[in-house]
Amino acid sequence: MYKPNWGALKGASAKEWGFRAMLWLLIATSALKFAPMDWLALLHLDGWTGANSSLLGLGLIISVAFFVALLANFLLDEAIGYLGSKRKKEIIEHKVQLLDPAERALLREFFLQGKTILTLPVEELAVRSLVETNILECIGNIKHYAIQGATADYKISMLARVYLNRSVLRLPNGELSQEDMLNLIKARPGFASNVVAHRKPPQRAA
């Protein structure tokens, strides 16, 4: 025998309750408003539906209006998301053409270290600039230190990855030679060594 899941109903939010109520209102009013009269007569509902026709029509209008508003809200959110994403791409495209040496060197660290996430100083000018232009994303893990200041974990945003190729980052094509590696190491940001040391696990005392 089927038993209703009352626990799921108790855990439902007010928004879910409203959606379910409007859905049932739409189904009930549509069924009673448009069902054939012989069906309604079979269920002894023909007299009731005739007497409450205006009330059923009002319920149908309210439920339809609710779902039309829901659809309009969804389409509006999609349009805002699309325009926001388009604007971010334009900002990234513009910024990629104007990367300064410090910003370019910082982005190369992700490739040189072979990591998708790096711990970087929050107040570093290059870090802040790349975050503001949607190239870097802060994913949390903010820690504060008395000497070196705050650090956090960052990754290159999905939108920016399309634009960051070897040419943009000034990385040589093919495998790096010893001279290429030395030049890239010399061009690393000044805080890079501190960041790498910070990410290493502390050594236990003997």
Side-chain angles (χ1 to χ4, degrees):
M1 182 178 177
Y2 172 75
K3 293 183 179 180
N5 188 0
W6 300 113
L9 292 177
K10 289 180 180 179
S13 65
K15 188 175 181 180
E16 291 173 332
W17 271 107
F19 179 86
R20 292 176 182 179
M22 285 297 171
L23 181 60
W24 278 111
L25 180 62
L26 177 64
I27 294 171
T29 53
S30 299
L32 293 172
K33 194 73 175 173
F34 301 111
M37 289 303 297
D38 53 343
W39 290 11
L40 295 174
L42 186 64
L43 297 171
H44 304 289
L45 291 173
D46 51 336
W48 186 87
T49 53
N52 296 279
S53 179
S54 58
L55 188 62
L56 289 173
L58 179 61
L60 181 61
I61 291 172
I62 291 173
S63 59
V64 168
F66 173 82
F67 285 103
V68 168
L70 208 62
L71 177 61
N73 187 57
F74 170 77
L75 294 175
L76 182 61
D77 287 343
E78 288 293 308
I80 291 173
Y82 171 77
L83 293 175
S85 178
K86 184 178 179 181
R87 177 59 180 159
K88 286 181 179 180
K89 287 181 180 179
E90 291 173 352
I91 293 173
I92 291 171
E93 286 179 2
H94 180 71
K95 180 60 179 177
V96 163
Q97 297 173 3
L98 302 174
L99 289 173
D100 63 30
E103 293 166 347
R104 187 174 282 107
L106 190 156
L107 292 171
R108 276 200 300 261
E109 282 297 304
F110 288 90
F111 295 87
L112 293 176
Q113 296 192 36
K115 296 179 180 177
T116 56
I117 298 173
L118 289 181
T119 302
L120 303 170
V122 174
E123 296 302 321
E124 182 67 30
L125 185 60
V127 175
R128 290 171 57 187
S129 175
L130 292 172
V131 170
E132 290 170 0
T133 51
N134 308 306
I135 293 178
L136 286 185
E137 290 181 3
C138 179
I139 59 174
N141 195 26
I142 300 175
K143 296 180 180 179
H144 298 272
Y145 300 91
I147 298 176
Q148 73 181 74
T151 64
D153 288 347
Y154 292 87
K155 69 174 184 178
I156 297 174
S157 70
M158 293 300 295
L159 291 176
R161 292 181 187 184
V162 180
Y163 303 96
L164 299 179
N165 50 41
R166 284 180 172 268
S167 176
V168 169
L169 298 178
R170 306 282 172 84
L171 287 168
N173 292 321
E175 292 192 15
L176 300 179
S177 65
Q178 188 69 23
E179 184 180 356
D180 292 332
M181 284 298 299
L182 290 174
N183 291 333
L184 291 173
I185 290 172
K186 289 178 182 178
R188 293 176 75 190
F191 57 83
S193 58
N194 293 333
V195 169
V196 175
H198 169 68
R199 292 185 66 85
K200 290 180 179 178
Q203 295 182 353
R204 297 179 180 177

